[in-house]
Amino acid sequence: MKIALGCDHGGYELKEQVKKHLETKGYEILDLGCNSNDSVDYPIYGKAVGEAVVSEKANFGIVICGTGIGISIAANKVKGVRAGLCMNTTMARLTREHNNANVLAFGARMIGDVLALEIVDTFLNTEFQGGRHLRRVSMIED
């Protein structure tokens, strides 16, 4: 499975931790930047990850900025992206089960690194439930 990663300067260090974590679990990584703590514009990276997921260059995406808010908004501007901003494992599970999210977003300044990795694992290991949720997800895509 291939995971696209993107972040701004506020999420750079956590992105690197997530990248290492996923590589040790055997995931293939498409690192779309940023590549340092130098100030950059989060919309560039949110859009890049969203486009990678929609074009099927990656199965899922993970985007990280300081709060997770801006980069999730940017990712959601890409048609076909369903980015969920998650601050705990329950949100990560439900955004997959109920919303069929294909991009995970979180804020490096909002959660610690241990929790971030737990959120990543929960998101990637949870399946969409379909059923009544399929109708609702279809309404979003119209």
Side-chain angles (χ1 to χ4, degrees):
M1 183 179 297
K2 186 181 279 190
I3 310 300
L5 297 179
C7 68
D8 72 356
H9 54 281
Y12 171 69
E13 291 181 20
L14 186 53
K15 181 201 73 161
E16 291 300 304
Q17 290 179 40
V18 169
K19 182 178 175 179
K20 288 177 189 170
H21 176 75
L22 292 173
E23 287 173 338
T24 64
K25 292 184 169 277
Y27 290 97
E28 186 177 351
I29 303 301
L30 176 61
D31 187 343
L32 298 170
C34 75
N35 298 308
S36 75
N37 289 316
D38 295 337
S39 183
V40 295
D41 299 318
Y42 64 81
I44 295 167
Y45 302 98
K47 181 180 179 185
V49 169
E51 288 175 346
V53 170
V54 170
S55 68
E56 299 182 353
K57 292 178 183 169
N59 302 92
F60 291 102
I62 299 173
V63 293
I64 310 166
C65 68
T67 64
I69 297 168
I71 204 161
S72 67
I73 292 169
N76 274 319
K77 297 296 261 181
V78 178
K79 186 170 176 55
V81 168
R82 293 174 306 282
L85 175 58
C86 299
M87 298 297 189
N88 57 55
T89 57
T90 300
M91 293 175 78
R93 179 177 54 80
L94 291 173
T95 199
R96 286 288 304 128
E97 286 180 351
H98 293 189
N99 308 115
N100 199 20
N102 52 13
V103 174
L104 169 64
F106 49 82
R109 296 179 187 134
M110 303 292 109
I111 59 174
D113 56 346
V114 172
L115 178 56
L117 300 181
E118 290 173 357
I119 290 169
V120 166
D121 289 344
T122 299
F123 181 86
L124 294 175
N125 291 313
T126 302
E127 296 291 326
F128 177 51
Q129 287 183 342
R132 71 183 191 276
H133 305 294
L134 181 59
R135 181 182 78 250
R136 296 170 184 148
V137 170
S138 297
M139 294 169 82
I140 295 169
E141 293 178 352
D142 289 345

